[in-house]
Amino acid sequence: MRLYMMKNFCQMLWRARFRRVCLDAFGSRFLDLLGSRAAGAFCASVFVSGILLSSLPAESKKLANIDTQSIGALNTNTRDLGVQDLGAQRMQGDVKSCLSTQPSATGCLSGFYKVPNFLIFKGGYVYVLVHEGRIFAYGVENLDKSPAGKDPHNPIKSLRERSDKGTIFLKDLKILGMNLRDGFSYNFQNGSTYYTKGKILDSGDLELSFALDSMHILGKSFVWERLSDEQASALGLQKLDNETALKTLVR
């Protein structure tokens, strides 16, 4: 009975407004490739899975293998990059103490992070900076080393020629202890803006949730993997000075 009701609920969503949501989330090209019925089933399954999995305790999520490593991008570990595993040198166990001694959190969270691929969206390396108690981030390099792109899907026509690297796409993510709230993220690859929240993991990584709705029902969580200075140097990643980066911020 529950499955039957859930099926009807998903069909109702698809017929009403859900197709628009899926277009925003995945892009028309992706849905056209799937076909109308397949796309409906796919988006409904993503939606329902998100609700069901979000209700599971943390240990069950690990057993269900729904962390970002299941996506595949994070299977490319530091050895694949030709960099020695430097996990022991990261801030494991020290994040809470760092945040307690540095109210600004600048030295605790600022740095390079690895963002995984997801479906048709490219992953990359980003730089996170902390300004006035909030997190901002901009892209530095794609995981596949492809060149920087433009912003062709931006609703603001005057911004469509800007680069997707060195331009802030995550803004105003408030740092509240180990929790992150009330941020917004822009996706250069489809022109959509997402509500963003998350938490700081003991490892120094950031677990972030990106959603089309403020309740984070239609969304997905990812882990941004914190890179050590040695890893960032080996990859040749270069950051902008904060003042230059913040000038790219669009309010």
Side-chain angles (χ1 to χ4, degrees), residues 149-163 186:
K150 299 294 185 180
D151 190 10
H153 305 293
N154 198 310
I156 304 175
K157 292 183 178 180
S158 61
L159 297 177
R160 292 178 180 175
E161 290 301 312
R162 66 177 183 167
S163 174
Y186 176 76

Side-chain angles (χ1 to χ4, degrees), residues 171-212:
K171 66 180 182 179
D172 296 331
L173 190 58
K174 296 178 184 177
I175 302 170
L176 302 173
M178 297 292 282
N179 295 313
L180 306 171
R181 293 286 185 271
D182 302 330
F184 291 92
S185 300
Y186 176 76
N187 188 338
F188 284 92
Q189 298 178 54
N190 65 2
S192 295
T193 298
Y194 301 89
Y195 293 92
T196 306
K197 67 176 184 178
K199 60 183 178 181
I200 305 164
L201 304 181
D202 288 341
S203 62
D205 299 338
L206 304 179
E207 183 178 331
L208 300 179
S209 171
F210 304 90
L212 292 167

Side-chain angles (χ1 to χ4, degrees), residues 50-84:
I51 294 177
L52 295 178
L53 291 174
S54 64
S55 65
L56 292 176
E59 292 303 317
S60 298
K61 289 183 179 181
K62 291 179 181 178
L63 293 174
N65 195 26
I66 63 167
D67 61 8
T68 53
Q69 291 183 355
S70 66
I71 298 173
L74 289 184
N75 288 335
T76 303
N77 56 26
T78 52
R79 287 188 296 275
D80 295 328
L81 298 171
V83 181
Q84 183 181 2

